[in-house]
Amino acid sequence: MALHYEGERGAERMVRTEFADGEVQYYEGERGAERLVRKGLLSGTVLHYEGERGVERKVRSVRASGSVKYYEGDKGAERRVRSMFADGVVQYYEGEQGAERVVRVVLADGAVGHYEGEQGA
């Protein structure tokens, strides 16, 4: 693991951590208050985070294919609420983390499909 810092002596702040598996984590904030804002994975996926240090929550995942997943919820309980695909399709989800289910799909041509029922039912 490699830690990268920036800033004047005595005020250095962590800006990046590189891991042996290829993951890179990026931080923002003053010394002692650095918070995770982004993770780059070897697969090309980039995860985006918001929140103060220690309670950063995943808000978006961008895959190399161009698809984007959006999340809501507190750290550790983030649930997918929307997925946008490169072909223009948008899926909307409801449910708690791990039990999200598609409730609406909007196709690139504007057609809309609605779904009812629990995940896997």
Side-chain angles (χ1 to χ4, degrees):
M1 176 170 59
L3 304 174
H4 298 267
Y5 292 85
E6 291 181 358
E8 298 294 322
R9 183 180 175 102
E12 303 94 337
R13 64 192 191 292
M14 185 168 49
V15 295
R16 186 172 75 242
T17 304
E18 297 175 358
F19 296 88
D21 66 1
E23 179 178 316
V24 181
Q25 297 180 355
Y26 299 89
Y27 301 87
E28 292 179 359
E30 297 301 317
R31 180 181 181 157
E34 300 96 329
R35 64 194 181 284
L36 177 66
V37 294
R38 190 171 73 244
K39 282 184 188 178
L41 306 179
L42 188 59
S43 65
T45 297
V46 178
L47 307 173
H48 297 265
Y49 294 82
E50 292 180 358
E52 296 302 314
R53 181 181 181 147
V55 293
E56 302 96 327
R57 63 196 181 284
K58 181 171 53 177
V59 296
R60 189 170 68 250
S61 170
V62 181
R63 299 189 78 154
S65 66
S67 67
V68 182
K69 297 176 183 176
Y70 295 88
Y71 300 87
E72 292 180 359
D74 294 333
K75 179 179 181 174
E78 301 95 330
R79 64 193 181 283
R80 185 174 8 168
V81 295
R82 183 177 53 173
S83 292
M84 298 176 68
F85 299 93
D87 63 2
V89 173
V90 181
Q91 294 179 335
Y92 295 87
Y93 301 82
E94 290 182 0
E96 295 303 312
Q97 182 187 55
E100 299 97 328
R101 64 192 181 283
V102 176
V103 295
R104 183 169 47 121
V105 176
V106 179
L107 302 178
D109 65 5
V112 179
H114 296 273
Y115 299 86
E116 293 182 356
E118 296 302 314
Q119 179 188 41

